[in-house]
Amino acid sequence: MPENLELVEGWVVNARVVGRIAFLEVIDDLSLKPVTVVVKRDEVQDEVWKAATSIKLGSAVRIRGVKPERVVSRKGRELHARLLQVLAEPVDLLPIDPTGKTPANPEAYINYRYLALRLPRYRAIFLARSLLMNLTREYFYSRGFLEVNTPKIVGAGAEGGATLFVVEYFERKAYLSQSPQLYKQMLMCGVPRVFEITPYFRAEKFSTVRHLNESWGLDVEMGFINGPEDVMDVLDDYIRYVTRRINEELGSTLREQGFELLPPVEKIPRYTYREAVDILRGLGFNVRMGDDLDTQAEKALGEYMERQGVYAYFITEYPWEAKPFYIMKSEGGLSKSFDLDIRGIEVASGGQREHRYAELLGNMREKGLNVEDFSFYLEAFKYGMPPHGGFGLGLDRLLMTLLGLPNIREAVLFPRDRFRLVP
Ligand code: AMO
């Protein structure tokens, strides 16, 4: 084999022959643009020319060749082939056009995600997702948070019984974890700051563009806080960090692909629930104090904020009755809670927790919970549990709002919804 040959391995997404030259576009590494492989009749042996001119789109190939001194291809990378090996040919019609010219049925992009990943749009989404995960780890790791992994098969749920998936666990009934809530709080009795990147399993019967039955979240919990503001400060800084870094690292790529990438976020404004209700009433919504804000109201509030140039905002001090038992009460029936909304979609929620044993028991009884089911959790509140708080953030939703995706299913490789269990 001649010296100094470069190697390209990947899939042929486009091919054409012009006289005595064949051009193959091959997607090889994680870049969005293919490398143009130029095969010249006079530079290669007969079988290479034959393979290049009869190649089936979608084939997996291994090519060796030389890089030209001057690149002519507008896509920026070029290789002049010497050797070409077809490793695998499609044996059926491709359900997604590899050239991207003919759009497929929208379901095909989910059913054949691996083929969709050969297209620049889907590569870009999942490059952004991978970067988001990395930045998230890096952010919390470098700020003294312990990364933890809590059980996903559990004996009790924190977010309401109706949305638990039941699992057969030998002679007993168990559930898939809705969130690490109970465990991350218990850990506050031993370490000051934790985070977890985790799946949430929720048996919600919704069929919306923002709900999945298996979604991925970022859970954060911090001890020794002075109030929910300390937690919001961290979440605010994290959002500023990831929006800035994603803009720096993938901004032009994502915009080129047509995504309406969220610009770097500045300090996130905080509105109380009462203020949000007043704004909504001003917009003609009939919201009663105490109501949770529904999707329509959230959306309208998002549009209102966007008109003021605000994409991300906190809504604080929800009525306690609209919040889970673990959230600390505050005066006037309110709570030390917050939600973070981006572009009119709830992306995170959290708050200060009730860390006092007696008050926590009271909260649980008020919400009608069977205290015995939670005794393992309550134990941790007997041995010096400090004031603490945290949040849970939907990473799929964050990616969706960052890129302006119309549907959360686009942000997940193999989404799980009520009707979708395969692939
Ligand atoms: P919550 O139930 O609000 O809070 O969930 C936190 C965030 O997770 C995301 N999320 C979902 N994303 C997609 N599909 C779903 N079905 C789904 N459910 C939730 C949302 C939501 O804001 N334990 C608390 C958090 C805390 O207080 O620390 C909790 O689970 O973006």
Side-chain angles (χ1 to χ4, degrees), residues 159 179 181 184 200 202 204 210-212 215 219 326 346-350 353 390-392 394 397 408:
E159 318 298 342
S179 91
Q181 185 65 35
K184 66 177 181 175
Y200 298 159
R202 299 193 182 187
E204 294 162 335
R210 62 179 73 185
H211 286 95
L212 290 173
S215 65
D219 267 86
Y326 47 79
E346 181 204 308
V347 166
S349 72
R353 320 303 185 184
F391 62 85
R397 284 206 190 163
I408 195 169

Side-chain angles (χ1 to χ4, degrees), residues 229-299:
E229 296 74 25
D230 290 354
V231 183
M232 279 189 273
D233 288 345
V234 169
L235 177 51
D236 177 311
D237 192 55
Y238 161 76
I239 293 291
R240 280 192 274 166
Y241 178 74
V242 294
T243 56
R244 176 173 64 75
R245 289 287 305 273
I246 287 180
N247 270 274
E248 281 167 6
E249 292 186 31
L250 284 177
S252 52
T253 307
L254 290 165
R255 290 201 178 86
E256 239 172 69
Q257 289 305 318
F259 296 105
E260 287 181 27
L261 180 63
L262 191 76
V265 166
E266 305 289 332
K267 177 99 184 117
I268 302 176
R270 299 172 188 188
Y271 297 88
T272 62
Y273 168 84
R274 185 177 283 278
E275 288 168 335
V277 167
D278 284 342
I279 295 173
L280 282 165
R281 284 179 179 162
L283 295 171
F285 275 80
N286 182 17
V287 204
R288 279 180 310 150
M289 275 300 287
D291 283 357
D292 206 359
L293 305 182
D294 63 18
T295 308
Q296 284 311 316
E298 266 181 4
K299 201 169 158 229

